[in-house]
Amino acid sequence: MSRLNLSMFKAYDIRTPASQLTLDLSERLAYAEAFYFREHLNATKVVLCRDARLSGAQYLEQGMRIFRDLGFEVLAMPQVSSACLFYYTCMRHPEAAGIMYGASHNPGGDTGQKIVAPGVQPIADGCGPGGGLQAIRQLYERGARPVSLRGGRLRLVDYLNDYVRDSMQLAGVAPGTLAGLRIVQDFLAGAAGTEMLLAFTIAGAEVEPRNLAPDGHFPAGAPNPVVHASIAPSLELLRQGGFDFGMFFDGDGDRLDIAAPDGRQLSPAFNLVALAPRLRAIFPDISHPNLYVDLKANPLAIMRIAQQGFGVHIIRNGHSQIKQALGKTADQGFIAAVEESSHYYLTLRWDGTLFPTENTLFFALLTARAWREDPSLYCELLDLQHSTFREREWGYHFPNDDLRAAALAAVEAAFVRSGWRAMRRTVDGVDIDATLLRDGLPFVINADTPLTEEWTQVAQRASQSEKGLARWEVTAGTAARRDAAVRLIEETVRRFQAGPRYVG
């Protein structure tokens, strides 16, 4: 037996180098998950799929065998799947638990798992019945193994065409209605290309696909659109002219980065300004809709969304925690959420059941529809975004978590000494698992908030998926304010043995 790998249990899901999850360890993990599904969730069915990673096939093959032999009905997608197609498949089988083998935007040598309970409930540390991922970890440490039952079987499922059809219908995109749009789409050899190209072709758009074929070697570079080197060739193609905009996706297809024809990235919060009225039309019975944004969202974007009659609320990062929050607050009119890492979330009702979920295909189609219907708005939003000054999120690795914690505390103290205010909990008392620092800005921004150029905000957090990594993002009303904040962060972290600047 290999040495137990406990570091793979992160705050949001499971992530680890594949070399550290040997097949005997992944077997032990599968038994722990099966025990949790049966004893804590009362689930007798499980959806299993994988992304494009080279290691995914062996874990999927193993999982199909183990869960079937233990008496589960296994609903398997052997072909490469995006994370959002996985969630859609689980939504079609709400009585089933689910596991997706993959590692999102992580390097190609990594593996991991996204796990859901019946009803597509997210399973993470502190999310899910009985402690969620923490319960699975404890079962894994114990070597728990459920009794094998008769009746296990394997059934192949494929909802790709249904997913495309339903996403188009939800986005209000009929066949041919995107005709005239020319779009660069870079899939970075990940899992989202097939569904995107199918939908956009039916809708009539002319797509120039890049890195379309799934390839776990990730020949274009890290499957992460934040990494400039990975998307640089597609950005250059975009700048050569003739395209309306570009879209960039990560390894498992749950990120959507948007770029203007000149290569400027449009942040998700500003995209939400254009999407907000179209989202509202999907929920006509909600008189005062609410949205979640993460603490890095640009204050000008928050104000523009609020001016359309939305409540805009800060939430902590993390796909599992955000979906859990959407589920809990759906009766308060919370319909969607967005992270500045380019993840979008939606509270979806299907056959009378509520599913807080991710559907990047829907948001990509809705974005294209909004751009098609009002391109001048996107020009305005790009100009508004670039009237502010942003240092997109970067990080530093520290030798250990203690030094990381000390560096984060020192940075916060340095800003507070300069008269800034720090926020660690939302206005209703929820821990954001990070710190939002603001100068010249209130923490609650609405349609009437007065705003001059003399403001700066800094978001800082400890990464929950990478050991020893801390992250910062700076946005300001002037370049001088941005640069001063970045300098203060850099000067402070040097005292704590920080590694070189890290983007990813």
Side-chain angles (χ1 to χ4, degrees):
M1 168 65 70
S2 303
R3 183 177 179 181
L4 291 186
N5 178 355
L6 298 179
S7 63
M8 65 181 174
F9 294 94
K10 308 298 185 184
Y12 312 137
D13 50 30
I14 291 172
R15 301 280 176 93
T16 184
S19 61
Q20 296 179 23
L21 188 63
T22 57
L23 284 175
D24 58 335
L25 291 181
S26 60
E27 179 179 86
R28 183 186 182 105
L29 177 59
Y31 284 128
E33 291 165 334
F35 192 104
Y36 176 75
F37 292 164
R38 183 179 293 165
E39 301 300 326
H40 290 264
L41 307 181
N42 296 316
T44 59
K45 297 181 181 181
V46 59
V47 173
L48 300 179
C49 74
R50 66 182 178 102
D51 69 8
R53 289 167 188 277
L54 297 177
S55 59
Q58 64 177 351
Y59 298 124
L60 176 60
E61 186 74 28
Q62 182 185 62
M64 290 189 295
R65 172 182 56 79
I66 289 174
F67 282 97
R68 184 197 60 200
D69 291 349
L70 289 172
F72 285 81
E73 180 177 354
V74 178
L75 307 167
M77 292 186 287
Q79 72 277 19
V80 168
S81 170
S82 70
C84 299
L85 178 56
F86 164 65
Y87 296 134
Y88 177 85
T89 301
C90 292
M91 197 171 70
R92 294 291 296 266
H93 295 275
E95 73 283 6
I99 301 172
M100 178 172 182
Y101 303 99
S104 188
H105 61 280
N106 279 37
D110 283 9
T111 187
Q113 296 182 12
K114 290 180 176 177
I115 307 169
V116 297
V120 205
Q121 297 178 70
I123 298 295
D125 189 8
C127 287
L133 195 57
Q134 186 63 29
I136 294 174
R137 172 178 171 155
Q138 292 168 357
L139 293 166
Y140 169 79
E141 290 186 77
R142 277 173 38 198
R145 179 172 177 166
V147 174
S148 296
L149 301 176
R150 293 184 178 181
R153 66 176 181 138
L154 174 66
R155 182 152 64 97
L156 301 184
V157 294
D158 182 0
Y159 291 105
L160 174 62
N161 290 328
D162 289 4
Y163 174 56
V164 168
R165 179 200 65 213
D166 291 342
S167 299
M168 291 182 67
Q169 183 176 356
L170 185 64
V173 175
T177 55
L178 298 183
L181 281 181
R182 297 193 70 230
I183 309 167
V184 173
Q185 290 188 339
D186 192 340
F187 307 104
L188 295 179
T194 300
E195 63 210 44
M196 291 291 167
L197 206 57
L198 278 173
F200 277 82
T201 299
I202 294 169
E206 182 182 342
V207 174
E208 179 63 35
R210 305 274 297 178
N211 302 301
L212 173 63
D215 184 348
H217 294 98
F218 299 118
N224 184 350
V226 172
V227 178
H228 180 76
S230 296
I231 65 171
S234 293
L235 286 174
E236 179 56 32
L237 175 65
L238 185 63
R239 292 189 191 100
Q240 288 173 11
F243 296 98
D244 293 280
F245 55 91
M247 292 179 162
F248 303 85
F249 305 88
D250 69 342
D252 66 349
D254 60 1
R255 288 190 181 197
L256 169 63
D257 247 30
I258 301 160
D262 61 3
R264 291 183 294 171
Q265 188 246 6
L266 181 70
S267 83
F270 277 103
N271 190 37
L272 200 58
V273 175
L275 301 188
R278 293 164 177 83
L279 288 170
R280 188 169 196 164
I282 297 173
F283 301 90
D285 297 334
I286 298 177
S287 58
H288 185 71
N290 291 291
L291 301 170
Y292 285 122
V293 297
D294 80 23
L295 66 165
K296 300 186 294 294
N298 191 302
L300 272 64
I302 294 174
M303 187 177 298
R304 285 290 298 268
I305 297 168
Q307 287 168 352
Q308 300 181 66
F310 284 82
V312 187
H313 304 260
I314 289 174
I315 194 169
R316 63 173 290 184
N317 286 96
H319 61 89
S320 297
Q321 285 76 8
I322 289 175
K323 285 181 279 191
Q324 179 176 259
L326 281 172
K328 289 181 176 179
T329 58
D331 60 351
Q332 300 171 37
F334 282 84
I335 62 173
V338 68
E339 290 181 284
E340 292 303 285
S341 58
S342 298
H343 288 90
Y344 294 79
Y345 306 85
L346 182 70
T347 302
L348 182 61
R349 193 171 295 278
W350 177 274
D351 286 343
T353 303
L354 197 68
F355 296 100
T357 189
E358 293 173 80
N359 184 330
T360 302
L361 176 57
F362 159 76
F363 279 105
L365 288 164
L366 195 66
T367 298
R369 177 187 152 202
W371 207 300
R372 178 85 165 80
E373 294 172 350
D374 195 354
S376 63
L377 174 60
Y378 275 96
C379 291
E380 178 188 346
L381 292 174
L382 282 159
D383 289 342
L384 182 61
Q385 173 181 289
H386 287 85
S387 71
T388 63
F389 298 84
R390 177 189 183 199
E391 189 78 9
R392 194 169 184 182
E393 190 173 56
W394 81 98
Y396 301 101
H397 278 106
F398 296 87
N400 55 61
D401 288 349
D402 288 341
L403 279 171
R404 177 178 67 180
L408 287 164
V411 170
E412 178 181 336
F415 281 108
V416 170
R417 282 196 301 271
S418 299
W420 291 44
R421 292 185 302 146
M423 172 183 174
R424 299 179 204 87
R425 292 183 176 274
T426 62
V427 291
D428 52 357
V430 177
D431 187 353
I432 59 175
D433 198 32
T435 304
L436 178 61
L437 296 151
R438 280 182 173 171
D439 181 46
L441 280 173
F443 284 124
V444 177
I445 295 173
N446 56 41
D448 301 318
T449 301
L451 199 60
T452 69
E453 290 184 345
E454 297 304 312
W455 60 269
T456 318
Q457 78 171 18
V458 172
Q460 68 168 27
R461 63 188 178 96
S463 172
Q464 298 297 329
S465 59
E466 297 172 80
K467 189 174 179 62
L469 179 65
R471 297 179 181 273
W472 284 266
E473 180 160 316
V474 177
T475 311
T478 67
R481 277 181 159 267
R482 177 201 59 194
D483 295 345
V486 170
R487 279 197 305 273
L488 182 55
I489 294 166
E490 292 176 335
E491 291 167 359
T492 304
V493 301
R494 286 196 198 105
R495 307 200 309 262
F496 298 91
Q497 302 176 41
R501 178 180 276 230
Y502 171 85
V503 178

